[in-house]
Amino acid sequence: KGVVAQEVSDDHKPDRPDEQKRIESCGGRVFAVEYDDGVDGPARVWLGHMDIPGLAMSRSLGDSVAHTAGVLSEPEFHTAEVKDTHKTLIM
């Protein structure tokens, strides 16, 4: 019998639809930097009027500049039931 992975968390990326909506409603912008070699970087959070801070996550502790653009320090909580049939838990 094969191993089946079950995700127990969601990454806080700026281009996740719910995170992007919150950031934009707070006046921030979400876009990836386009580099000269044609490779785009990850989506980042920017202030509405300046290309800073360029944070590649939508939640962060203590970043007062990013917080003005809609970045939060509040965690998300998820629960998952661990059963006797589960052999491994990797976090």
Side-chain angles (χ1 to χ4, degrees):
K1 197 173 188 181
V3 176
V4 177
Q6 176 184 356
E7 293 185 19
V8 295
S9 67
D10 293 313
D11 290 341
H12 294 124
K13 299 294 184 185
D15 57 350
R16 196 174 91 180
D18 59 331
E19 297 287 283
Q20 184 168 355
K21 182 179 179 180
R22 185 194 65 251
I23 291 163
E24 291 173 348
S25 73
C26 292
R29 298 175 293 147
V30 175
F31 65 89
V33 174
E34 298 176 15
Y35 294 105
D36 293 336
D37 62 4
V39 177
D40 292 347
R44 296 178 180 273
V45 178
W46 309 92
L47 294 180
H49 63 288
M50 296 177 72
D51 288 345
I52 60 171
L55 191 64
M57 62 191 78
S58 57
R59 302 203 182 204
S60 174
L61 294 173
D63 191 331
S64 59
V65 173
H67 287 188
T68 66
V71 172
L72 297 180
S73 58
E74 298 172 15
E76 283 185 318
F77 294 95
H78 300 278
T79 58
E81 185 177 349
V82 179
K83 301 177 182 177
D84 291 339
T85 57
H86 292 124
K87 302 295 181 200
T88 307
L89 175 64
I90 300 172
M91 297 193 60

